[in-house]
Amino acid sequence: MSFPYIRQDSGNLLHPNYNTTTLSPMRRFLLLIILGSILQVGCFGSDNAGTHIEFIKAWGKKGNGNGQFLYIEDFAINASGNLFVTDALRADVQIFKPDGSYIGVFGGAEMFEKPEGIAIADDGSIFIADYLSGYIQKFGPDYTPLKRFSGHGSAPGLTLEAEFMSIAANQLIYIAEAGNHRISVFNQQGEFQFSFGEMGSEPGQMNRPESAKSDRNGNIYVADFGNHRIQKFSADGEFIMSFGSAGTGNGQFRQPTGVALDKLNNIYVADLGNERIQVFNSSGEFQFAWSGSDIGAGTFSNLHGLIVDEQGYVYVADTGNNRIQQFRIRGNGY
């Protein structure tokens, strides 16, 4: 929402050529009330980050110890609200409580080459996509290896540079393949179902997709990294819409990476090149954006995955700083 006589920053709220000294005290008072009402109604559509997002905490530093990171990729949350974090260079998955307390770790170089995408099914099964080997590995809720499927390649059912993935309402697994410029879909038994997308910039085409994340209605949102946009597809892979273009303005991107959906199907996008998070409604309309420095959380660097939990906490992979940042959504259903 935009108003020609109101600035959406910390400067003067009135048009610079508007002389308030000519107004009577009563009129100035009434004008301030009106402006305050307008801002309150329109605040969620502004880019005033502090109105919408509160910084909670950050944890992690570079290393191989518990709670340390080398290259954070993506997140998943289980039924208990615990946060699962893939680390491509450590080749493992660390688990944390919602407050950042360390729980444990599984995987390692004997199991993974470069784990990136992760998704957790309703029964607690954990699926992890390996960028280098092409394998998708399935683990039980107790982290016991259960199955390995797919593999490295471009034929149907194989993956090439598998990135971030999700399990949709239809219980199928959607995996972004940067190397094949497509989304591949499997059931939870590891059986290939179908794929959609191909190299290009036309609607439905992709250039190194980074994320495939599902909303609560089963629609799939793809971070089309090389085309600097987000594309929305049906669960069957039919193109619905796209939004975004290359640039630094609101609603523009420079290589989007992570995508997350909240309970109202608002879309959160890690805008890597612009070092910020942007938020859109389900129609793809820009709502607000924030960088870490906007709200006292420090700078972002090399943003990757992000996720929103049921309580409205947003977890961001601040990969270049080897840490996770946690934020809380203010308002908008939380």
Side-chain angles (χ1 to χ4, degrees):
M1 186 177 295
S2 178
F3 303 95
Y5 295 97
I6 300 173
R7 290 177 57 186
Q8 297 181 7
D9 58 19
S10 58
N12 183 10
L13 288 177
L14 298 177
H15 190 280
N17 296 324
Y18 194 94
N19 185 359
T20 59
T21 61
T22 62
L23 296 176
S24 68
M26 178 58 71
R27 288 187 175 182
R28 287 200 299 270
F29 176 73
L30 291 174
L31 179 60
L32 289 173
I33 290 177
I34 292 170
L35 287 172
S37 299
I38 292 172
L39 288 171
Q40 184 175 9
V41 170
C43 70
F44 202 78
S46 79
D47 58 357
N48 182 5
T51 305
H52 319 298
I53 290 289
E54 175 187 4
F55 172 66
I56 301 300
K57 68 184 299 183
W59 72 89
K61 63 180 181 179
K62 187 173 183 178
N64 285 297
N66 295 341
Q68 298 177 345
F69 307 102
L70 294 179
Y71 205 94
I72 305 169
E73 289 285 354
D74 203 17
F75 302 122
I77 293 175
N78 70 3
S80 299
N82 295 325
L83 183 71
F84 289 64
V85 184
T86 57
D87 191 311
L89 295 184
R90 285 178 48 128
D92 61 17
V93 180
Q94 293 188 76
I95 309 158
F96 301 87
K97 293 181 180 179
D99 65 0
S101 301
Y102 177 81
I103 295 176
V105 62
F106 69 97
E110 69 282 358
M111 190 170 292
F112 300 120
E113 291 188 47
K114 193 173 183 285
E116 296 209 4
I118 182 169
I120 299 178
D122 291 344
D123 66 359
S125 299
I126 305 160
F127 295 84
I128 298 172
D130 195 304
Y131 181 92
L132 290 180
S133 72
Y135 287 117
I136 314 302
Q137 296 195 58
K138 180 179 181 179
F139 298 83
D142 60 354
Y143 322 127
T144 301
L146 299 178
K147 180 173 291 190
R148 187 174 71 171
F149 56 92
S150 188
H152 187 267
S154 297
L158 299 179
T159 69
L160 188 61
E161 299 176 350
E163 297 275 3
F164 304 161
M165 63 185 186
S166 63
I167 298 175
N170 59 10
Q171 303 305 308
L172 296 179
I173 305 166
Y174 292 75
I175 302 172
E177 294 184 62
N180 285 324
H181 312 287
R182 69 187 182 193
I183 309 301
S184 281
V185 185
F186 298 83
N187 65 22
Q188 294 184 31
Q189 289 71 51
E191 298 165 337
F192 174 72
Q193 304 296 295
F194 61 93
S195 64
F196 56 94
E198 61 181 0
M199 177 62 183
S201 59
E202 296 299 315
Q205 295 180 331
M206 305 172 193
N207 184 353
R208 298 194 62 81
E210 185 85 7
S211 294
K213 299 292 182 175
S214 173
D215 68 14
R216 292 174 183 248
N217 299 322
N219 299 308
I220 307 300
Y221 293 83
V222 175
D224 193 355
F225 181 88
N227 287 321
H228 312 286
R229 65 185 179 185
I230 303 298
Q231 297 199 69
K232 180 180 179 180
F233 298 86
S234 71
D236 296 327
E238 295 296 321
F239 173 79
I240 297 175
M241 69 171 189
S242 69
F243 57 92
S245 60
T248 61
N250 291 340
Q252 294 184 312
F253 304 105
R254 291 173 59 205
Q255 299 176 326
T257 51
V259 175
L261 286 297
D262 68 16
K263 66 182 181 181
L264 299 179
N265 288 332
N266 293 307
I267 309 151
Y268 297 69
V269 181
D271 188 1
L272 182 150
N274 289 318
E275 295 185 347
R276 65 184 177 182
I277 308 297
Q278 295 197 69
V279 184
F280 303 82
N281 66 18
S282 58
S283 299
E285 298 167 334
F286 174 82
Q287 302 295 287
F288 65 96
W290 84 92
S291 65
S293 57
D294 287 337
I295 48 180
T299 58
F300 288 146
S301 175
N302 196 14
L303 291 169
H304 274 64
L306 72 166
I307 198 167
V308 184
D309 72 11
E310 291 294 313
Q311 286 68 49
Y313 289 96
V314 184
Y315 300 88
V316 175
D318 190 3
T319 303
N321 290 316
N322 303 108
R323 65 185 177 183
I324 295 169
Q325 295 209 44
Q326 182 189 40
F327 302 86
R328 182 176 66 87
I329 302 170
R330 290 178 168 178
N332 199 39
Y334 289 95

